Amino acid sequence: MIRRWFIRFMTGRYGGDQLNLFLIGLYLLLYVVFLFSRLLIFQLLGTVVLLVSLFRSLSRSLDRRRAENARFLQIVRPIKRRWTAFRARTQDREHRYFKCPNCGQQMRVPRGKGRITVHCRSCGAVFEEKS
């Protein structure tokens, strides 16, 4: 009964997306900081963030909320890509990563081969690198 009421209530409303998840995570972070610092500003900021998230979830202007989420993803996507590449590089023990001195392209060579000649696929530069 409550479930049907909630489904009817949410019909035509925006609901959740990645930006809302980020806002809820930010609220939790601000709340934890408030618990440790007891500064009222963190509780106030957390409450504002939570209200914005609630407003976005219950909003009926779907196009605006989708545009906001798209802008958020545009900002977050390069950061997420860099973080994923950084984690892959730090966990890869079989290769050594470096940049091409000519064009700056990220490259990798097998570890433990000594000095090797490397050909950049991007600009065609040839140089020696120690692996």
Side-chain angles (χ1 to χ4, degrees), residues 83-98 106-112 131:
W83 175 251
T84 304
F86 172 74
R87 287 193 57 214
R89 279 194 312 268
T90 55
Q91 292 176 355
D92 186 7
R93 301 287 179 214
E94 299 175 2
H95 297 93
R96 182 170 179 274
Y97 290 83
F98 60 92
Q106 185 81 21
M107 304 174 75
R108 73 177 191 167
V109 296
R111 235 180 239 281
S131 64

Short mmCIF file of all heavy atoms in Angstrom, two decimals, residues 83-98 106-112 131:
data_model
loop_
_atom_site.label_atom_id
_atom_site.label_comp_id
_atom_site.label_asym_id
_atom_site.label_seq_id
_atom_site.Cartn_x
_atom_site.Cartn_y
_atom_site.Cartn_z
N TRP A 83 42.09 9.43 -12.54
CA TRP A 83 42.20 8.59 -11.36
C TRP A 83 42.30 7.11 -11.74
O TRP A 83 43.11 6.38 -11.18
CB TRP A 83 41.00 8.82 -10.44
CG TRP A 83 40.99 7.90 -9.27
CD1 TRP A 83 40.14 6.87 -9.05
CD2 TRP A 83 41.87 7.92 -8.14
NE1 TRP A 83 40.43 6.25 -7.87
CE2 TRP A 83 41.50 6.88 -7.29
CE3 TRP A 83 42.95 8.73 -7.79
CZ2 TRP A 83 42.16 6.61 -6.11
CZ3 TRP A 83 43.60 8.47 -6.60
CH2 TRP A 83 43.21 7.43 -5.77
N THR A 84 41.49 6.67 -12.71
CA THR A 84 41.53 5.28 -13.16
C THR A 84 42.89 4.96 -13.78
O THR A 84 43.46 3.90 -13.51
CB THR A 84 40.40 5.02 -14.17
OG1 THR A 84 39.16 5.37 -13.58
CG2 THR A 84 40.37 3.57 -14.59
N ALA A 85 43.41 5.88 -14.60
CA ALA A 85 44.73 5.66 -15.21
C ALA A 85 45.82 5.62 -14.15
O ALA A 85 46.74 4.79 -14.22
CB ALA A 85 45.02 6.76 -16.23
N PHE A 86 45.74 6.50 -13.16
CA PHE A 86 46.73 6.51 -12.08
C PHE A 86 46.72 5.19 -11.31
O PHE A 86 47.76 4.62 -11.02
CB PHE A 86 46.44 7.68 -11.13
CG PHE A 86 47.28 7.68 -9.90
CD1 PHE A 86 48.62 8.04 -9.97
CD2 PHE A 86 46.76 7.29 -8.68
CE1 PHE A 86 49.42 8.02 -8.83
CE2 PHE A 86 47.53 7.28 -7.54
CZ PHE A 86 48.87 7.64 -7.62
N ARG A 87 45.52 4.71 -10.99
CA ARG A 87 45.42 3.44 -10.26
C ARG A 87 45.96 2.28 -11.09
O ARG A 87 46.62 1.38 -10.56
CB ARG A 87 43.98 3.18 -9.86
CG ARG A 87 43.55 4.07 -8.72
CD ARG A 87 42.26 3.66 -8.09
NE ARG A 87 42.30 2.31 -7.62
CZ ARG A 87 41.26 1.48 -7.62
NH1 ARG A 87 40.10 1.90 -8.06
NH2 ARG A 87 41.36 0.26 -7.17
N ALA A 88 45.68 2.29 -12.39
CA ALA A 88 46.18 1.22 -13.26
C ALA A 88 47.71 1.24 -13.31
O ALA A 88 48.36 0.19 -13.27
CB ALA A 88 45.60 1.36 -14.66
N ARG A 89 48.28 2.45 -13.40
CA ARG A 89 49.74 2.56 -13.45
C ARG A 89 50.40 2.10 -12.16
O ARG A 89 51.44 1.47 -12.17
CB ARG A 89 50.17 4.00 -13.74
CG ARG A 89 50.10 4.38 -15.19
CD ARG A 89 50.84 5.67 -15.46
NE ARG A 89 50.54 6.74 -14.54
CZ ARG A 89 49.60 7.65 -14.71
NH1 ARG A 89 48.86 7.62 -15.79
NH2 ARG A 89 49.41 8.61 -13.83
N THR A 90 49.80 2.45 -11.03
CA THR A 90 50.41 2.08 -9.76
C THR A 90 50.28 0.58 -9.47
O THR A 90 51.11 0.02 -8.77
CB THR A 90 49.79 2.86 -8.59
OG1 THR A 90 48.39 2.68 -8.59
CG2 THR A 90 50.12 4.34 -8.70
N GLN A 91 49.28 -0.07 -10.03
CA GLN A 91 49.10 -1.49 -9.79
C GLN A 91 49.81 -2.36 -10.82
O GLN A 91 49.95 -3.56 -10.61
CB GLN A 91 47.61 -1.83 -9.76
CG GLN A 91 46.90 -1.23 -8.57
CD GLN A 91 45.41 -1.47 -8.59
OE1 GLN A 91 44.88 -2.02 -9.55
NE2 GLN A 91 44.73 -1.05 -7.55
N ASP A 92 50.26 -1.77 -11.91
CA ASP A 92 50.94 -2.52 -12.97
C ASP A 92 52.42 -2.64 -12.64
O ASP A 92 53.18 -1.68 -12.77
CB ASP A 92 50.74 -1.81 -14.31
CG ASP A 92 51.29 -2.61 -15.47
OD1 ASP A 92 51.72 -3.76 -15.27
OD2 ASP A 92 51.29 -2.07 -16.60
N ARG A 93 52.84 -3.82 -12.23
CA ARG A 93 54.25 -4.04 -11.86
C ARG A 93 55.07 -4.58 -13.03
O ARG A 93 56.28 -4.72 -12.92
CB ARG A 93 54.34 -5.04 -10.70
CG ARG A 93 53.60 -4.60 -9.47
CD ARG A 93 54.34 -3.47 -8.80
NE ARG A 93 53.60 -3.03 -7.62
CZ ARG A 93 53.58 -1.78 -7.22
NH1 ARG A 93 54.21 -0.86 -7.88
NH2 ARG A 93 52.90 -1.44 -6.15
N GLU A 94 54.44 -4.89 -14.15
CA GLU A 94 55.15 -5.47 -15.28
C GLU A 94 55.62 -4.44 -16.29
O GLU A 94 56.40 -4.76 -17.18
CB GLU A 94 54.26 -6.49 -15.99
CG GLU A 94 53.85 -7.64 -15.09
CD GLU A 94 52.86 -8.56 -15.77
OE1 GLU A 94 52.52 -8.32 -16.95
OE2 GLU A 94 52.42 -9.51 -15.12
N HIS A 95 55.15 -3.20 -16.19
CA HIS A 95 55.49 -2.16 -17.17
C HIS A 95 56.00 -0.90 -16.48
O HIS A 95 55.69 -0.64 -15.33
CB HIS A 95 54.28 -1.81 -18.04
CG HIS A 95 53.80 -2.97 -18.85
ND1 HIS A 95 52.82 -3.81 -18.42
CD2 HIS A 95 54.19 -3.43 -20.07
CE1 HIS A 95 52.60 -4.74 -19.33
NE2 HIS A 95 53.42 -4.53 -20.35
N ARG A 96 56.74 -0.11 -17.26
CA ARG A 96 57.20 1.19 -16.79
C ARG A 96 56.54 2.23 -17.68
O ARG A 96 56.53 2.10 -18.91
CB ARG A 96 58.72 1.30 -16.90
CG ARG A 96 59.24 2.60 -16.38
CD ARG A 96 60.75 2.58 -16.28
NE ARG A 96 61.22 3.87 -15.79
CZ ARG A 96 61.46 4.91 -16.58
NH1 ARG A 96 61.29 4.81 -17.87
NH2 ARG A 96 61.87 6.05 -16.05
N TYR A 97 55.99 3.27 -17.08
CA TYR A 97 55.27 4.32 -17.82
C TYR A 97 56.13 5.57 -17.91
O TYR A 97 56.82 5.92 -16.96
CB TYR A 97 53.95 4.65 -17.11
CG TYR A 97 52.94 3.54 -17.20
CD1 TYR A 97 52.99 2.46 -16.31
CD2 TYR A 97 51.96 3.54 -18.17
CE1 TYR A 97 52.07 1.43 -16.40
CE2 TYR A 97 51.04 2.53 -18.25
CZ TYR A 97 51.11 1.47 -17.37
OH TYR A 97 50.19 0.46 -17.45
N PHE A 98 56.07 6.25 -19.06
CA PHE A 98 56.77 7.52 -19.26
C PHE A 98 56.10 8.26 -20.41
O PHE A 98 55.25 7.72 -21.10
CB PHE A 98 58.27 7.30 -19.54
CG PHE A 98 58.53 6.47 -20.75
CD1 PHE A 98 58.73 7.06 -21.98
CD2 PHE A 98 58.58 5.09 -20.66
CE1 PHE A 98 58.95 6.30 -23.10
CE2 PHE A 98 58.81 4.33 -21.78
CZ PHE A 98 59.01 4.93 -23.00
N GLN A 106 51.55 9.44 -23.50
CA GLN A 106 51.83 8.46 -22.44
C GLN A 106 52.17 7.13 -23.09
O GLN A 106 51.46 6.66 -23.97
CB GLN A 106 50.59 8.32 -21.55
CG GLN A 106 50.79 7.45 -20.37
CD GLN A 106 51.49 8.15 -19.24
OE1 GLN A 106 51.49 9.36 -19.18
NE2 GLN A 106 52.10 7.40 -18.37
N MET A 107 53.29 6.52 -22.65
CA MET A 107 53.72 5.25 -23.22
C MET A 107 54.09 4.29 -22.11
O MET A 107 54.35 4.71 -20.98
CB MET A 107 54.94 5.48 -24.13
CG MET A 107 54.69 6.49 -25.22
SD MET A 107 56.16 6.85 -26.15
CE MET A 107 56.26 5.38 -27.12
N ARG A 108 54.17 3.00 -22.44
CA ARG A 108 54.62 2.02 -21.47
C ARG A 108 55.53 1.02 -22.15
O ARG A 108 55.36 0.70 -23.34
CB ARG A 108 53.46 1.33 -20.77
CG ARG A 108 52.75 0.34 -21.62
CD ARG A 108 51.65 -0.35 -20.85
NE ARG A 108 51.19 -1.48 -21.65
CZ ARG A 108 50.44 -2.43 -21.22
NH1 ARG A 108 50.03 -2.42 -19.98
NH2 ARG A 108 50.07 -3.41 -22.00
N VAL A 109 56.52 0.55 -21.41
CA VAL A 109 57.46 -0.45 -21.91
C VAL A 109 57.57 -1.55 -20.86
O VAL A 109 57.36 -1.31 -19.67
CB VAL A 109 58.85 0.16 -22.20
CG1 VAL A 109 58.78 1.18 -23.32
CG2 VAL A 109 59.46 0.77 -20.97
N PRO A 110 57.93 -2.76 -21.28
CA PRO A 110 58.08 -3.83 -20.30
C PRO A 110 59.24 -3.54 -19.35
O PRO A 110 60.27 -3.02 -19.75
CB PRO A 110 58.37 -5.07 -21.14
CG PRO A 110 58.20 -4.68 -22.54
CD PRO A 110 58.11 -3.20 -22.63
N ARG A 111 59.06 -3.86 -18.10
CA ARG A 111 60.08 -3.65 -17.08
C ARG A 111 61.17 -4.71 -17.20
O ARG A 111 60.93 -5.84 -17.59
CB ARG A 111 59.44 -3.77 -15.70
CG ARG A 111 59.66 -2.60 -14.85
CD ARG A 111 58.99 -2.79 -13.51
NE ARG A 111 58.00 -1.78 -13.22
CZ ARG A 111 58.30 -0.56 -12.80
NH1 ARG A 111 59.54 -0.22 -12.60
NH2 ARG A 111 57.36 0.31 -12.58
N GLY A 112 62.40 -4.31 -16.87
CA GLY A 112 63.50 -5.26 -16.76
C GLY A 112 64.16 -5.66 -18.08
O GLY A 112 64.85 -6.66 -18.14
N SER A 131 64.24 0.63 -19.14
CA SER A 131 63.04 0.02 -18.55
C SER A 131 63.45 -0.64 -17.31
O SER A 131 63.24 -1.25 -16.54
CB SER A 131 62.39 -0.96 -19.50
OG SER A 131 63.22 -2.04 -19.77
#
